[in-house]
Every structure is written in structure tokens, then in C-alpha cells.
Amino acid sequence: MKASVIVPCYNQAKYLPMTLDSIWFQDFPEVEIIAVDDGSPDDTAQVLDAYRQAVETETASFAAHLDELSGEILRTRHPRYPQAGRELRVISHGKNRGLSAALNTGFAAATGDLVTFIAADDLLLPNMLDELSGLLARTGADFAYADMHIVDDAGRILRRFSLPDYSFEACFCHWYLCGICKLYRRELHERHGWFREDLTVQDHEMYLRFAMNGARFVHSPKALANARIHAGERLRDNHSSDNKARLYRESADLVRLARRHYSALLAAGVRQ
């Protein structure tokens, strides 16, 4: 079983190596990382080149044996980055096309049975893919999501963000409460399409579309990712102050759509 993790990159070079490490060192046998450089004006391209070179060449060592005769402590040297079951692919847009376009480029290139994406300044905890893939396998669900920590620029935990166990009402009819730390079957995109490029709340709309078309969701109550909140910085284009009002407006429209859908289901005697 392969998991593909899409990393849309825009102006987050400072945090990108930590994000990539959090994916590379997952406790999961086969991981495909697809980094999409969406025309970043900072040194994202150089960071990605340096990371790829480090993956191929850097080594680490540990004290492994005491030679009784010489008193010498012998060290074992090994590649810094595990090689088996890991692949890093870098795709460049050349110019900025927006988050939705970067996600669509990445997901269209994905070959894993399971897929997700993570912002280029966030972190997956080491067992995220293993936990959520196991949950999908045990339950037969299509989409698994988990709790997370909200962290500051330095990585300090500000609070735990605990999400509700899944029901359509709990996750979509109050606000969007299921889609930050997630893993789901790639076939959902094959059945229901891609991210809308006219929205700033592309994941909210996409996962609501999954749910309204019958996808089965399941929740893990474990915190499996760190989502970063920046103080006084403007890094995430779709969460910038310029876009915040639009983001809330679009999300409110989707909540109203979910409520109409849920009301129609109740009227028809169907519960989700």
C-alpha cells in the first residue's frame, strides 16, 4: 500500500525541510512525496534541490561497538534518510497559479492508493499515515481524519484541536471540522473530481462534495499533526488578511449548502 502526500509550496522555504522530514520519516512502508512549487518568490526551489541532494548523499552515524583491545569506540555509518519505499518528486509551476491549482497538479500526479496533502509549514507526527491507513482498513471507510495540535512559529503547542466523531451534521453543518489532518482513498477524486480553482476554501468544498456523494468518513481521536499559526507573518496566501473575509464568506455558503442537503436527507428519512 502506497501513500502519496502532496506538499503545495508557496513562500514557505523556512519551514519546508521540517515538513518534508515529517513525511519522509513516517512509520509507513511506502510513501510518495510530491512537492509542487507554485512559483514561489523565495528560495523554495533551492531548498527543494538541497533537500533532494541531502536525501541522496548525506549520512549519519552512531556509537555501535567498543573495541576491547584498542579501547576505540567504533561507529556505524548509514544514510541519513531511509531509501527503501521513499520517493520525492518535485513539480514546478514556474509562476504562481494558486493553491487549488497546485493541489490539482499534485493529486493528478499521485500514484498512491491513499492520498493527502499538508501545508509546507505544517508537520505530520510520525505515526499519522500508519494510524489513519489502519483505521481505513479496519472500518472500510473512504476518508479518515484526526485531531491535531496548533503550534506557533517555534513549534510550541498552543492548544489541542479535538474534532468531533463523524456525522454529516457535526462535521459540515456547524462549520468545517474534519479536513486538516486526513488520509483518504485516491479513487474519491476519480469519482468526484478535483479542487475548484475559483475558491479559497477548496478543501472544504471538495470534502463536502465527497460527503454529499456518499463517501464514508471516520475519525481518530489521536493528535496526528501539528498545524502552524504564524504571528505577524503572511505566508499562507489563502489565509492572509486580504483573503480572510472571502474565506469566511465562502465557508459560510458551504455550511448553508450542507444544512440544505441535511434537511433534505431528514425529510426523506435518511441519516448521515
Side-chain angles (χ1 to χ4, degrees):
M1 179 74 71
K2 180 195 293 186
S4 297
V5 183
I6 314 307
V7 186
C9 307
Y10 183 75
N11 207 30
Q12 294 164 336
K14 174 182 176 181
Y15 304 97
L16 183 54
M18 291 182 284
T19 298
L20 295 175
D21 278 354
S22 79
I23 307 167
W24 195 278
F25 288 93
Q26 283 288 302
D27 293 331
F28 197 75
E30 192 168 1
V31 181
E32 173 185 64
I33 304 172
I34 303 176
V36 182
D37 181 2
D38 191 31
S40 298
D42 64 359
D43 57 348
T44 289
Q46 292 81 1
V47 167
L48 288 169
D49 285 342
Y51 191 89
R52 184 157 43 190
Q53 183 176 0
V55 162
E56 295 172 354
T57 64
E58 289 190 4
T59 61
S61 67
F62 60 93
H65 180 70
L66 172 65
D67 187 299
E68 189 66 34
L69 294 178
S70 67
E72 182 182 2
I73 300 172
L74 305 179
R75 302 187 68 83
T76 294
R77 186 164 293 278
H78 59 90
R80 176 185 173 189
Y81 290 89
Q83 301 298 306
R86 294 294 181 269
E87 180 183 5
L88 172 63
R89 299 165 61 190
V90 176
I91 303 173
S92 177
H93 276 173
K95 64 179 182 178
N96 182 245
R97 293 168 49 191
L99 177 57
S100 294
L103 291 174
N104 286 336
T105 293
F107 278 96
T111 62
D113 307 286
L114 304 176
V115 294
T116 189
F117 78 87
I118 178 175
D121 55 344
D122 288 347
L123 299 173
L124 300 182
L125 299 186
N127 57 338
M128 181 272 197
L129 293 179
D130 183 63
E131 287 280 352
L132 292 188
S133 64
L135 187 57
L136 289 172
R138 291 192 302 274
T139 63
D142 304 299
F143 188 114
Y145 65 99
D147 297 348
M148 71 212 78
H149 295 132
I150 306 301
V151 303
D152 64 14
D153 286 333
R156 295 290 304 276
I157 296 174
L158 301 175
R159 63 184 175 93
R160 181 189 174 108
F161 192 179
S162 297
L163 298 175
D165 286 339
Y166 183 75
S167 73
F168 185 85
E169 181 184 16
C171 291
F172 291 106
C173 292
H174 300 292
W175 200 246
Y176 171 48
L177 295 172
C178 72
I180 298 177
C181 177
K182 70 280 180 182
L183 185 69
Y184 57 93
R185 302 185 192 279
R186 180 167 56 92
E187 64 190 33
L188 287 177
H189 283 298
E190 295 168 1
R191 295 205 302 264
H192 306 304
W194 304 100
F195 295 92
R196 280 180 52 180
E197 298 188 12
D198 60 325
L199 294 177
T200 61
V201 291
Q202 54 285 113
D203 54 339
H204 184 170
E205 190 279 333
M206 183 79 259
Y207 304 151
L208 175 59
R209 198 187 323 159
F210 288 168
M212 289 174 61
N213 282 282
R216 296 160 297 171
F217 287 65
V218 64
H219 169 236
S220 169
K222 298 180 180 180
L224 298 178
N226 289 348
R228 198 182 300 270
I229 297 293
H230 298 284
E233 293 188 44
R234 183 181 163 186
L235 293 181
R236 293 194 188 180
D237 196 39
N238 67 331
H239 285 188
S240 68
S241 57
D242 291 347
N243 279 333
K244 199 167 187 178
R246 177 184 172 189
L247 184 149
Y248 283 154
R249 183 176 65 253
E250 290 177 351
S251 281
D253 288 343
L254 292 172
V255 169
R256 294 184 183 102
L257 173 62
R259 289 173 178 175
R260 292 194 297 272
H261 177 79
Y262 186 61
S263 294
L265 290 176
L266 291 180
V270 177
R271 279 196 169 272
Q272 279 194 345

